[in-house]
Amino acid sequence: MDKYVCTVCGYEYDPAVGDPDNGIAAGTSFEALPADWVCPLCSVGKDMFEKA
């Protein structure tokens, strides 16, 4: 699974880790994130991320 990076703040979403602080389990691909998921650091939407 690919990692994705926030183009605003540089946060890297790693599917192997997920986003446990926001209820996203390890093993969740970026594509499978809910449509309303936002960057945990700067709160921009998924459309502001690009493949690492």
Side-chain angles (χ1 to χ4, degrees), residues 11-48:
Y11 169 82
E12 181 178 80
Y13 177 76
D14 183 349
V17 177
D19 182 11
D21 292 342
N22 292 297
I24 306 298
T28 303
S29 70
F30 186 79
E31 294 79 11
L33 290 171
D36 62 351
W37 181 85
V38 296
C39 177
L41 298 184
C42 70
S43 300
V44 297
K46 288 174 63 178
D47 60 326
M48 297 301 293

